[in-house]
Amino acid sequence: MKVIEKIDEMKRLRLKLAESVGFVPTMGYLHQGHLSLVRRARSENQSVIVSIFVNPTQFGPREDFSSYPRDTECDLALLKKERVDVVFIPSADEMYPPQFDSWVVVDKLARRLEGACRPGHFWGVTTVCTKLFNIAQPARAYFGQKDAQQLVVIKKMVSDLNMNLEIVTLPTVREPDGLAISSRNIYLNPGERQAATVLYRALALALQLYAQGETDAERLRQKMIALLQKEPLAEIDYVSIANLRTLDELAKVTSPALVSLAVKIGKTRLIDNIML
Ligand code: PAF
């Protein structure tokens, strides 16, 4: 497994790889969710490139960029076990030299939900993904359903800008009690970890009510909010039932609908979603 820090070197090496490259972009601190993407990439491509880059441009000024968990040594050991060919692990200066002045912006979709709570977040995501796609030139890139809006935005960018790759989506990997696996779960103390199950319980409630015939989106939102409010450590950022393609809030649930939520548990902001 080659570990590469420089863009030029990565591009030179890419020329030597076979056509079918699977690419998994990550911010490191790898968990089972990332590894499911890597395994799928391994099974579908001749070569696999994984990037590890905590992208500063997708964090707001008061967000957790400096405290975001990092453990490169452990990440590299995990990726070696998965028979990854190349790990691209650039520095922030390498990706954003001082004169850097170009942004890739998906407009309306990126201003909803996460974009409304975290202004500028998706500018950072779409810009870094474009750079990484240009550098790695993959046939396929792999993303988890856990960051549902990120997926919608990236798919739109790839389609609108005629990018030459396929975006492959894999289901959210969950703990046995339903909590979606995320690098940020490490921030939770034991009490908060227990409280964090409320996100999945709220989603499961929506699923259950929908299965029983409830299609009024506002009633579903209110039931979810009522359940979340019973958890004293939870502070709701948003609860949304939206059209999966446009992210417009729905009055009546028509499939496919994206039920998503962002909730702070103590100081840790968690997101999760399911599809109806
Ligand atoms: O989902 C992530 O980890 C990040 O948003 C990504 C896609 C690696 C871009 O920095």
Side-chain angles (χ1 to χ4, degrees):
M1 184 176 83
K2 288 206 160 58
V3 180
I4 291 182
E5 294 176 5
K6 297 290 175 199
I7 294 172
D8 281 350
E9 199 188 340
M10 182 64 243
K11 285 172 110 176
R12 271 199 304 277
L13 178 64
R14 173 64 191 89
L15 292 177
K16 294 189 196 139
L17 297 176
E19 252 324 290
S20 153
V21 165
F23 176 54
V24 184
T26 82
M27 299 209 297
Y29 210 67
L30 303 179
H31 49 62
Q32 287 305 319
H34 296 116
L35 296 182
S36 73
L37 304 178
V38 172
R39 283 173 197 145
R40 177 73 173 268
R42 181 71 281 169
S43 73
E44 290 181 346
N45 302 277
Q46 283 159 299
S47 305
V48 176
I49 304 177
V50 175
S51 64
I52 299 178
F53 179 59
V54 184
N55 174 34
T57 62
Q58 69 188 74
F59 289 79
R62 278 178 295 279
E63 292 183 358
D64 57 344
F65 172 67
S66 51
S67 60
Y68 193 85
R70 293 159 168 90
D71 189 345
T72 308
E73 211 178 299
C74 179
D75 290 346
L76 293 178
L78 289 169
L79 294 175
K80 200 167 178 186
K81 263 199 210 145
E82 300 299 333
R83 297 175 299 111
V84 165
D85 299 285
V86 185
V87 183
F88 179 52
I89 177 161
S91 67
D93 276 354
E94 180 72 4
M95 291 295 273
Y96 300 109
Q99 68 279 17
F100 186 85
D101 195 25
S102 301
W103 297 94
V104 179
V105 175
V106 173
D107 191 11
K108 288 196 203 74
L109 283 176
R111 283 193 263 129
R112 310 250 154 100
L113 304 172
E114 284 301 285
C117 296
R118 305 179 66 190
H121 166 67
F122 286 115
W123 285 33
V125 172
T126 43
T127 300
V128 82
C129 284
T130 301
K131 284 173 69 71
L132 292 167
F133 294 164
N134 285 339
I135 295 164
Q137 303 206 6
R140 301 179 191 88
Y142 295 80
F143 290 84
Q145 180 60 41
K146 153 108 186 353
D147 295 300
Q149 186 181 8
Q150 169 170 280
L151 250 170
V152 173
V153 167
I154 286 174
K155 281 186 176 163
K156 182 80 177 124
M157 172 184 84
V158 165
S159 152
D160 283 355
L161 301 184
N162 312 104
M163 292 180 171
N164 213 6
L165 76 160
E166 181 194 344
I167 300 298
V168 182
T169 311
L170 269 85
T172 302
V173 179
R174 298 183 179 281
E175 301 282 4
D177 62 7
L179 179 67
I181 294 186
S182 156
S183 303
R184 287 190 170 99
N185 293 352
I186 190 79
Y187 298 145
L188 302 168
N189 67 33
E192 292 169 343
R193 168 65 187 78
Q194 181 53 40
T197 59
V198 77
L199 277 85
Y200 184 66
R201 284 188 277 126
L203 294 170
L205 176 65
L207 196 59
Q208 182 200 333
L209 293 172
Y210 179 67
Q212 288 166 359
E214 179 61 271
T215 56
D216 183 294
E218 191 47 30
R219 274 206 291 271
L220 288 170
R221 283 186 209 97
Q222 290 310 324
K223 290 266 167 56
M224 292 174 72
I225 290 171
L227 190 150
L228 290 161
Q229 283 173 339
K230 283 197 201 133
E231 172 47 65
L233 294 180
E235 189 193 320
I236 302 170
D237 257 4
Y238 62 80
V239 172
S240 159
I241 302 182
N243 176 296
L244 180 62
R245 198 176 44 81
T246 62
L247 300 183
D248 288 334
E249 287 301 318
L250 294 169
K252 200 157 189 61
V253 179
T254 47
S255 68
L258 175 69
V259 184
S260 65
L261 74 182
V263 178
K264 285 196 201 84
I265 302 288
K267 287 204 178 80
T268 306
R269 187 173 182 282
L270 299 174
I271 59 172
D272 200 353
N273 67 85
I274 51 159
M275 226 87 82
L276 294 183

